[in-house]
Amino acid sequence: MTPNNYILVTANSATAVLTGTFHFLRLLQTHQDISALDITSRPRIRHRILAHWDNLDGSIERGYAGRSLWNWDELPNKIDARYHDYARACASIGINGTCLNNVNANAKSLTTEYLEKTAALADVFRPYGIRVYLSLAFSAPIRLGGSDTSDPRDPAVAAWWKQKVDEIYRLIPDFGGFQVKANSEGQPGPQDYGANHDDGANILADALAPYGGMLLWRAFVYDTSVDADRAKCANKEFVPLDGKFRSNVLVQTKNSPIDFQPREPFHPLFGAMKQTPLALELQITQEYLGQSKHLVYLGGMWKEILDSDTYAKGPGSTVARIVDGSLYDHSISCIIGVANTGSDRNWCGHHFSQANWYAFGRLAWDYGLSAEAIADEWIRMTWSNDPRVLDAIKTMMLGSWEACINYMTPLGLHHMMREHHHYGPDPGFNAAPRPDWNNVYYHRADAKGIGFDRSSAGSNAVSQYHSPLREQFDDINTCSEKFLLWFHHVPWDHRLQSGRTLWEELRHRYDVGIAFVEQMRNLWQSLQARLDPERHAHVSRRLEQQLENARLWREVCIKYFGRFELSK
Ligand code: GCU
């Protein structure tokens, strides 16, 4: 046999050989030249986790693709074939962890009964190189242990956690660790006892450390007694704690300071905590981006975040380099995506939502890949290698995120979705029990203009960014227009780069967004003869709905904001 007659896939572990084999299959499926392969690949981020916001009753918080994949009632005895399919799909894109339950956690998931069920899932996932993680309720010692406190400074509480963690590792020797939402949106936490995030995180980290387990402590906190601008709260709580966390703790930070909006600037915690590794949390499930009804490819959004320069250590201090640990020399690194999978036969509700699951895995493995390259792979493997199909779908996918921003929240607007379910427009909403749960809190439209003044003359959120970003954001004339209304309250007649006034530009953006959805619908129609009828029809129906919704967004928002503009 000459060297040219064989293909060798090799790696430093069995799991890595599996990953390499999937990569080879991808080359075949995407019709790449395999005559002279010489590929070396290693993940840029060590822990690449899907976070399932699944409840034990089978419902999914912010899930839009049916019920939970985990059938807790049947586990551990019955192993659904889909658990294997799920693990194989994850492994094929490099995902190596899965956190099974909702961040708003039910303490019951830590009972022996449920740990045995979790262990059965871990057994299925192990051969695919996927470790299991759990979200925990900080009050578990009270709820399950009969204790009257979960004060992290109480030695009995630490002992309870140690015992619980010992039990978990007896059942699941490669258990990954915990994800914790504490003192956030009503969840219990150390602050209930006058202790702080580091106290809470560290007792759990100490229990996990002997086993190599990792603790993901979420920074999604926005106690407005800390600061009246919600966007500033996390930094104010967490930056003073830098250096106080154990080495197996990662502070898990959403990509952006408010909440997975169609577009926000990157979270200023990136670049502000130097001694603490930060895990990047992305949301695959499109809670605020049309859920499983709208075709919105998120590859570009995540690239924008990962490529953002924080300037924390001068130019080149990108979010990606903070997350992968290289900027501050951390050996532990993690990216975690809120999953969009469910019991629907097509996994994600919308056939195109699968692309976001795929893109998450591929970017987690190598954030250097472009959104376009990832879309190219996915289209070839999911739809067709036919160039006409490829070109049309690529155009649709690559323009879809910007279109969604335009028809929902252009120019830095944010949080204008309907209360609770976050689907559809409601810019005038002002009836929530706290100010920052109202939409008017975010856009602040009045006769003078629109937008949240976070400049140095306003809430001064700009000060949480490093120079020169801070100054760029601070000045209405240098602030990127994509974040204009995020950082500034802008007069209606302010002129933008296009020469249009703000009010004209706003209307223009809504029109552009809708026009792109029309284009997507037309491109999709042109592919009818080239795609299988069932999936084609399914996506067609979704696109019609998306178009209708986009028009509604324009109608509602222009009518609502027009009232202020006209009264000026
Ligand atoms: C959003 C979302 C909640 C979720 C929360 C979180 O606010 O709407 O459902 O619990 O984020 O990330 O904790």
Side-chain angles (χ1 to χ4, degrees):
M1 198 190 280
T2 68
N4 290 337
N5 286 345
Y6 64 87
I7 288 166
L8 179 67
V9 179
T10 186
N12 57 0
S13 71
T15 309
V17 173
L18 183 67
T19 310
T21 308
F22 277 122
H23 191 81
F24 178 63
L25 292 176
R26 177 159 43 239
L27 297 178
L28 295 181
Q29 282 186 287
T30 57
H31 294 191
Q32 306 300 303
D33 179 6
I34 56 162
S35 58
L37 293 179
D38 182 12
I39 299 171
T40 311
S41 180
R42 66 176 52 162
R44 310 273 283 256
I45 300 170
R46 198 160 129 203
H47 300 285
R48 305 170 299 280
I49 304 175
L50 281 189
H52 295 269
W53 287 1
D54 294 19
N55 297 313
L56 301 185
D57 66 3
S59 61
I60 306 180
E61 181 154 342
R62 313 305 176 189
Y64 313 105
R67 308 272 299 163
S68 172
L69 287 166
W70 328 131
N71 196 330
W72 295 107
D73 292 341
E74 292 180 345
L75 284 164
N77 299 324
K78 185 161 176 250
I79 299 297
D80 193 312
R82 279 197 112 184
Y83 302 156
H84 287 275
D85 298 342
Y86 163 84
R88 195 167 50 242
C90 284
S92 77
I93 53 175
I95 287 167
N96 64 359
T98 177
C99 187
L100 299 177
N101 60 327
N102 194 351
V103 283
N104 298 312
N106 184 337
K108 207 167 143 189
S109 61
L110 293 183
T111 57
T112 305
E113 181 193 356
Y114 274 81
L115 289 176
E116 281 167 356
K117 295 169 189 280
T118 296
L121 286 173
D123 290 344
V124 175
F125 300 157
R126 190 167 296 114
Y128 298 95
I130 295 169
R131 285 177 176 215
V132 157
Y133 297 73
L134 288 174
S135 301
L136 61 78
F138 200 75
S139 55
I142 303 173
R143 296 191 184 280
L144 306 179
S147 162
D148 57 4
T149 179
S150 56
D151 186 340
R153 294 163 306 184
D154 184 331
V157 170
W160 189 89
W161 282 114
K162 191 182 169 325
Q163 216 180 9
K164 186 46 77 183
V165 168
D166 291 345
E167 181 190 1
I168 294 175
Y169 279 92
R170 273 197 302 278
L171 291 164
I172 311 166
D174 56 353
F175 180 67
F178 295 125
Q179 176 184 227
V180 189
K181 173 175 179 178
N183 293 121
S184 162
E185 299 187 329
Q187 292 300 318
Q191 293 175 342
D192 303 348
Y193 305 95
N196 216 333
H197 294 291
D198 55 321
D199 303 307
N202 288 344
I203 50 157
L204 297 165
D206 286 344
L208 291 163
Y211 302 101
M214 179 169 91
L215 186 76
L216 294 163
W217 189 269
R218 296 177 90 227
F220 181 61
V221 292
Y222 56 100
D223 174 353
T224 39
S225 68
V226 170
D227 196 287
D229 180 358
R230 171 172 165 179
K232 290 169 67 189
C233 294
N235 277 48
K236 283 182 112 171
E237 285 203 35
F238 277 88
V239 175
L241 305 179
D242 198 17
K244 294 191 174 171
F245 292 99
R246 299 282 191 269
S247 59
N248 56 336
V249 176
L250 290 103
V251 169
Q252 181 175 315
T253 309
K254 291 189 180 182
N255 57 275
S256 55
I258 296 294
D259 193 12
F260 299 136
Q261 295 299 299
R263 175 181 263 144
E264 299 184 39
F266 69 86
H267 199 303
L269 213 46
F270 293 105
M273 288 185 90
K274 303 183 164 66
Q275 298 176 62
T276 314
L278 299 185
L280 171 62
E281 180 174 350
L282 302 172
Q283 196 187 44
I284 308 171
T285 188
Q286 291 176 244
E287 173 181 352
Y288 296 94
L289 292 101
Q291 302 172 2
S292 61
K293 300 289 190 287
H294 293 200
L295 190 169
V296 185
Y297 171 55
L298 300 178
M301 173 182 183
W302 298 333
K303 281 292 282 185
E304 182 170 289
I305 294 294
L306 287 158
D307 292 346
S308 291
D309 199 339
T310 68
Y311 293 94
K313 267 176 92 176
S317 308
T318 58
V319 170
R321 293 196 54 219
I322 292 167
V323 176
D324 76 7
S326 61
L327 193 71
Y328 295 120
D329 221 10
H330 294 304
S331 56
I332 187 168
S333 58
C334 175
I335 184 166
I336 180 161
V338 181
N340 63 353
T341 49
S343 59
D344 278 8
R345 193 55 257 174
N346 69 9
W347 291 99
C348 303
H350 195 310
H351 285 286
F352 276 82
S353 300
Q354 290 174 15
N356 293 329
W357 179 11
Y358 183 83
F360 171 77
R362 296 291 287 138
L363 280 176
W365 184 272
D366 182 3
Y367 57 72
L369 293 169
S370 70
E372 181 178 356
I374 295 170
D376 187 283
E377 289 175 2
W378 181 80
I379 298 164
R380 289 173 183 273
M381 291 190 290
T382 308
W383 298 101
S384 170
N385 277 286
D386 170 348
R388 295 253 298 268
V389 174
L390 192 62
D391 284 355
I393 299 185
K394 216 190 274 183
T395 303
M396 293 168 63
M397 287 172 69
L398 294 178
S400 60
W401 170 49
E402 204 69 52
C404 173
I405 297 166
N406 279 331
Y407 68 69
M408 286 188 184
T409 48
L411 297 167
L413 287 171
H414 49 292
H415 216 294
M416 306 207 302
M417 294 74 190
R418 282 190 174 276
E419 197 196 10
H420 298 310
H421 56 64
H422 298 157
Y423 187 86
D426 195 3
F429 178 66
N430 195 19
R434 26 185 298 182
D436 60 323
W437 286 354
N438 285 318
N439 294 343
V440 297
Y441 166 93
Y442 294 98
H443 61 67
R444 302 184 173 217
D446 58 21
K448 287 203 205 100
I450 177 173
F452 197 130
D453 186 359
R454 295 191 168 104
S455 74
S456 49
S459 80
N460 203 20
V462 292
S463 67
Q464 294 184 336
Y465 291 91
H466 293 274
S467 292
L469 270 189
R470 174 188 298 178
E471 292 77 15
Q472 279 167 22
F473 288 153
D474 196 30
D475 183 343
I476 195 171
N477 297 309
T478 55
C479 180
S480 164
E481 288 186 353
K482 60 189 179 191
F483 300 131
L484 191 62
L485 306 182
W486 180 279
F487 287 114
H488 295 277
H489 191 73
V490 182
W492 292 109
D493 52 9
H494 177 80
R495 293 244 166 241
L496 281 90
Q497 277 157 18
S498 60
R500 288 185 275 269
T501 65
L502 175 64
W503 172 239
E504 288 163 354
E505 184 70 25
L506 208 54
R507 283 185 308 174
H508 173 71
R509 294 293 175 113
Y510 279 101
D511 289 344
V512 169
I514 291 167
F516 192 83
V517 183
E518 279 165 358
Q519 189 189 343
M520 286 205 288
R521 183 192 56 178
N522 297 342
L523 280 168
W524 190 252
Q525 286 316 326
S526 75
L527 300 178
Q528 190 168 10
R530 293 170 187 269
L531 298 173
D532 66 276
E534 195 182 327
R535 288 190 302 164
H536 186 271
H538 193 270
V539 172
S540 291
R541 285 195 296 275
R542 289 281 203 269
L543 285 169
E544 288 302 337
Q545 180 169 2
Q546 185 170 359
L547 185 53
E548 218 175 277
N549 292 166
R551 288 179 178 146
L552 184 70
W553 268 95
R554 174 177 61 183
E555 189 189 315
V556 171
C557 294
I558 294 303
K559 189 166 165 205
Y560 176 78
F561 293 131
R563 292 209 311 254
F564 299 102
E565 197 277 335
L566 289 173
S567 67
K568 75 181 188 308

